[in-house]
Amino acid sequence: MNEPTPPPPGALPPALPPRADPLPGFRPPPPAPPARKRKVWPWALLFGLPAFCCLGLGFSASLAGGGGHIPKAAVLKVHLKGSLTERAPKDDLAELLGKTPVTVHDIVSSLEKAKSDKRIKAVLVQLDGASFGWGKADELRDALVDFKSSGKPVYAFAEALDEKEYSVVAVADHLYLPPDSFFEFNGFTADVLHYPGLLEKLGVQVQYFRYGKYKSISGESMGRFALTEPVKEMIRDELDQQWQLFTQAIAKARKKSPDEVKALADGFGLKAEWALKNQLIDATLYWDEVETALRKELSLKADEKVPMVSVARYRHLSYDDAGAPKRKHKVALITSQGLIVAGKGGVDPFSGDESQGAQPIIEALRSAVKDDDIKAVVLRVDSPGGAGLGCDLVRREVEKLREKKPVVVSMSDYAASGGYWVSMDASAIVAQPGTLTGSIGIWSVIPNLKGTYEKLGLNHEVFTQGAHADAVIGARPMNEDEAKRFDDELKASYDRFVELAAKGRGKTHEALEVVAQGRTWLGVQAKENGLVDQLGGFAVARSLAAQKAKLPADAAVELVPYEKKRSLLQEALALDEEGGEDAPELTSAALRAAWNASGVAGLVAPAPGSVAAARALLGGERFFTLPPLRVDVH
């Protein structure tokens, strides 16, 4: 009798065939119970989620009702850390879990409320590696100056400061850094890295197309070995203008002349002691000494803890609860942040960058039109560009909205290229002096990767139907006719951009063309050129919106963050507003998680700038290219 061959080590034993004649007395085991989730899930839907929703709604209501208990003598703490956002998606689950980020508007409105709140005796700004542009810097500085008009002091503390951060807190009554800490005060610089030399070594050839002689720094870094003179002129001018704004702001805050500030910068300050010697800060203190100063401000005993209220908590307080006049009239605040694309937008699974989909903005604009409580709309734009279709869909919705209700654009750090496209049909445009806007122009890079494939030993076989089907897939260079056709289409898109901007701003095509040409302007320049109407931030935009809505001059108006809110049920089940699965977002998150978990990500970490280079070459929607290139995935 032959012995059966034993299975290899680690192998599962073979399944036994069912017996036709069970052994006497043998009782088979009971069948495995069905998976618990199949039985429990409906009960969870019927009982668990409603209870969860009630808990969440109760939690949200308690926050909205009064912001919790505010001590009789407290400090409002403004903690500036990481990247400052303009938009916090509204959903009950995130709010319940305390995951809703603090926005720039939260900070500004909290400072406005704190002016009237007798319980708030001072403000403390703590900078902790904050990241923001010059538009947000202007916004925050203006809000602190406005708060100081109440007669209450502003304290500020940081373990290190650069010029941009310093421009915000220079207005503080008491500005402290620890001894021997970093204080950068040596001027502004800009540098550009060009990729064509590297691409050439990799066998990549590029064809660069652009309309607008100043278009653009990013385009020329991808398409040229060196910047053209017009782009160099633009960079120098922007640096000069921003330097003038900076030195003027610091001179005003620290009671010096702009020339004195410039001379100090030439002195190359790098430490807190240097800043103190030159009266740019008020003292070098450790954190415990700052707390001691705050106790003195609040008349507290040495062993008492300083009562601090965070903006994350205080933002839920209503204006009337803070002692300010009740805001009876409402203006909707709708935000467009990031690169604007068609559809819902989402997160890139590999880089983690987030894009702003046109669809949520459009839904919010349409909802505001139907809402009788909303008298006008402020569209907050913080976008350096996007893809042509998505930008135009938002622009069209703004155009339709302004026929029924005023819509005022408030520009943040950027509202350039695609960011200006969505803004130009508003009833009015407001920008900060340091906002980067305009950039009315178009560029695109078409790669030829044939040489790269050959260097890597890749055999790229292409099959086509149609004489030009493979013109833009990177397998070969465009021929003369194809390049001309692509260039003509780009020129037509540029002309349309200029024409729409001229119509939106009430100018002729010829007059708008002079300030277009792909040139980026600072807000102060854009106002001089008629691209924006007023300088300022939320407060100016809100006032202008109320004026255009014909509200009484003394009306108290509240700017209300406004967008479609996802319910707890939708959030828990990952459903969209129509009840279908949120497939794009789920897929994106799953891909990113799988990529990070695979271990491959660590082996192929991109070189600095390579992600941007790859996106530009492969036609991604990071840059404002019209028409956007299409990538078919089979």
Side-chain angles (χ1 to χ4, degrees):
M1 184 172 180
N2 294 327
E3 293 292 333
T5 303
L12 294 174
L16 295 175
R19 290 180 59 93
D21 52 338
L23 295 172
F26 175 77
R27 297 183 66 183
R36 289 184 60 82
K37 65 179 183 180
R38 294 181 182 276
K39 280 193 172 184
V40 174
W41 185 242
W43 293 105
L45 285 175
L46 289 174
F47 298 104
L49 280 175
F52 194 48
C53 291
C54 291
L55 175 63
L57 291 173
F59 181 78
S60 300
S62 69
L63 287 174
H69 172 69
I70 307 294
K72 289 183 179 179
V75 173
L76 177 65
K77 184 178 180 180
V78 180
H79 192 186
L80 303 180
K81 181 179 181 179
S83 181
L84 298 190
T85 185
E86 293 284 358
R87 175 177 173 266
K90 298 294 182 182
D91 61 73
D92 289 322
L93 186 58
E95 196 163 343
L96 174 64
L97 297 175
K99 297 294 185 181
T100 306
V102 170
T103 66
V104 176
H105 179 255
D106 288 334
I107 297 171
V108 172
S109 62
S110 292
L111 288 168
E112 188 175 37
K113 295 170 192 173
K115 282 174 57 181
S116 304
D117 196 333
K118 295 180 180 179
R119 297 165 295 184
I120 301 298
K121 304 300 183 182
V123 160
L124 169 67
V125 182
Q126 183 175 357
L127 289 115
D128 187 10
S131 174
F132 47 84
W134 289 108
K136 292 187 184 73
D138 291 341
E139 187 84 51
L140 295 172
R141 183 176 63 252
D142 290 348
L144 290 173
V145 170
D146 182 59
F147 171 81
K148 287 175 58 176
S149 68
S150 66
K152 302 176 186 180
V154 172
Y155 287 75
F157 176 80
E159 293 182 358
L161 283 177
D162 63 15
E163 288 95 346
K164 194 177 295 180
E165 293 170 319
Y166 180 63
S167 74
V168 173
V169 293
V171 298
D173 300 284
H174 310 281
L175 174 54
Y176 307 130
L177 270 74
D180 202 38
S181 58
F182 181 73
F183 181 85
E184 182 181 2
F185 200 85
N186 58 346
F188 294 172
T189 185
D191 62 299
V192 181
L193 186 64
H194 293 266
Y195 294 97
L198 170 64
L199 298 175
E200 190 176 77
K201 292 181 183 297
L202 297 175
V204 181
Q205 297 177 338
V206 296
Q207 288 175 276
Y208 176 51
F209 302 84
R210 65 109 168 91
Y211 276 95
K213 65 181 181 179
Y214 298 99
K215 191 74 175 183
S216 65
I217 299 171
S218 54
E220 295 204 346
S221 71
M222 296 305 309
R224 297 187 187 277
F225 286 87
L227 298 173
T228 57
E229 285 305 316
V231 174
K232 290 180 182 179
E233 173 196 340
M234 179 177 69
I235 293 173
R236 294 188 187 106
D237 187 52
E238 285 179 13
L239 271 179
D240 178 67
Q241 289 291 324
Q242 189 58 68
W243 183 238
Q244 298 300 327
L245 291 173
F246 172 80
T247 53
Q248 289 167 12
I250 301 306
K252 183 177 180 181
R254 306 307 295 184
K255 296 180 173 56
K256 297 179 181 294
S257 71
D259 286 340
E260 286 179 296
V261 174
K262 292 175 183 177
L264 287 173
D266 290 340
F268 195 28
L270 287 175
K271 287 293 184 73
E273 286 73 14
W274 178 89
L276 178 60
K277 177 182 177 182
N278 290 286
Q279 301 176 325
L280 295 175
I281 64 173
D282 299 296
T284 54
L285 301 181
Y286 294 104
W287 172 246
D288 62 289
E289 295 175 305
V290 175
E291 289 182 309
T292 299
L294 290 171
R295 288 190 190 94
K296 184 177 180 181
E297 181 70 47
L298 271 58
S299 301
L300 299 175
K301 296 178 181 178
D303 58 345
E304 287 186 87
K305 185 178 180 180
V306 179
M308 293 193 190
V309 182
S310 68
V311 171
R313 178 177 157 204
Y314 193 77
R315 60 181 167 174
H316 299 287
L317 198 75
S318 65
Y319 277 89
D320 49 329
D321 285 339
K326 186 169 183 176
R327 307 292 169 113
K328 296 181 179 179
H329 303 284
K330 298 186 184 302
V331 171
L333 174 62
I334 298 173
T335 303
S336 172
Q337 175 176 277
L339 297 153
I340 306 162
V341 299
K344 290 185 177 182
V347 179
D348 185 295
F350 301 106
S351 71
D353 290 343
E354 191 168 353
S355 62
Q356 168 71 71
Q359 183 180 331
I361 304 172
I362 290 170
E363 288 175 352
L365 291 170
R366 289 176 179 172
S367 182
V369 168
K370 299 174 185 176
D371 192 335
D372 292 336
D373 291 333
I374 298 300
K375 306 305 179 185
V377 170
V378 168
L379 178 61
R380 180 74 165 182
V381 178
D382 189 20
S383 172
L389 176 60
C391 296
D392 198 46
L393 292 175
V394 175
R395 181 207 63 81
R396 172 60 177 156
E397 208 61 38
V398 170
E399 182 183 41
K400 293 194 302 184
L401 170 60
R402 78 174 185 186
E403 299 299 323
K404 299 177 181 178
K405 292 183 179 180
V407 53
V408 175
V409 162
S410 171
M411 294 178 169
S412 182
D413 290 336
Y414 307 96
S417 202
Y420 192 78
W421 189 294
V422 302
S423 306
M424 57 196 184
D425 274 284
S427 308
I429 300 176
V430 176
Q432 288 289 358
T435 297
L436 289 175
T437 188
S439 192
I440 302 171
I442 294 172
W443 72 268
S444 183
V445 169
I446 306 298
N448 170 26
L449 303 174
K450 185 177 181 180
T452 306
Y453 298 150
E454 292 173 353
K455 283 178 179 288
L456 297 176
L458 298 172
N459 181 23
H460 186 207
E461 296 184 286
V462 179
F463 303 87
T464 64
Q465 284 292 341
H468 307 288
D470 60 344
V472 294
I473 69 170
R476 62 173 178 81
M478 283 181 168
N479 62 40
E480 188 176 339
D481 290 340
E482 290 166 341
K484 185 178 185 309
R485 177 63 183 272
F486 191 86
D487 189 61
D488 289 344
E489 292 291 343
L490 215 61
K491 175 65 163 62
S493 295
Y494 170 71
D495 288 340
R496 182 169 183 263
F497 195 169
V498 175
E499 187 61 36
L500 288 171
K503 178 184 174 186
R505 300 304 301 160
K507 295 177 177 289
T508 64
H509 186 109
E510 293 73 20
L512 203 287
E513 176 76 33
V514 174
V515 295
Q517 290 294 325
R519 180 154 185 166
T520 303
W521 303 96
L522 267 67
V524 65
Q525 299 169 306
K527 183 177 184 298
E528 294 172 359
N529 293 326
L531 294 176
V532 306
D533 298 292
Q534 290 191 32
L535 296 178
F538 287 114
V540 173
R542 179 182 62 194
S543 176
L544 193 54
Q547 176 186 329
K548 289 187 173 295
K550 295 182 171 53
L551 296 177
D554 59 347
V557 180
E558 183 173 4
L559 201 54
V560 183
Y562 196 91
E563 65 179 81
K564 278 212 169 186
K565 186 174 183 177
R566 290 167 62 91
S567 69
L568 261 177
L569 182 62
Q570 287 174 329
E571 192 68 23
L573 300 181
L575 300 177
D576 61 19
E577 281 72 13
E578 288 76 35
E581 272 194 53
D582 248 346
E585 288 80 357
L586 289 175
T587 301
S588 176
L591 282 172
R592 186 170 67 256
W595 173 255
N596 291 334
S598 68
V600 177
L603 298 175
V604 293
S610 62
V611 172
R615 281 182 170 173
L617 290 171
L618 297 177
E621 292 180 323
R622 169 172 282 279
F623 304 108
F624 191 55
T625 58
L626 282 176
L629 301 183
R630 174 181 174 183
V631 178
D632 292 323
V633 180
H634 297 281

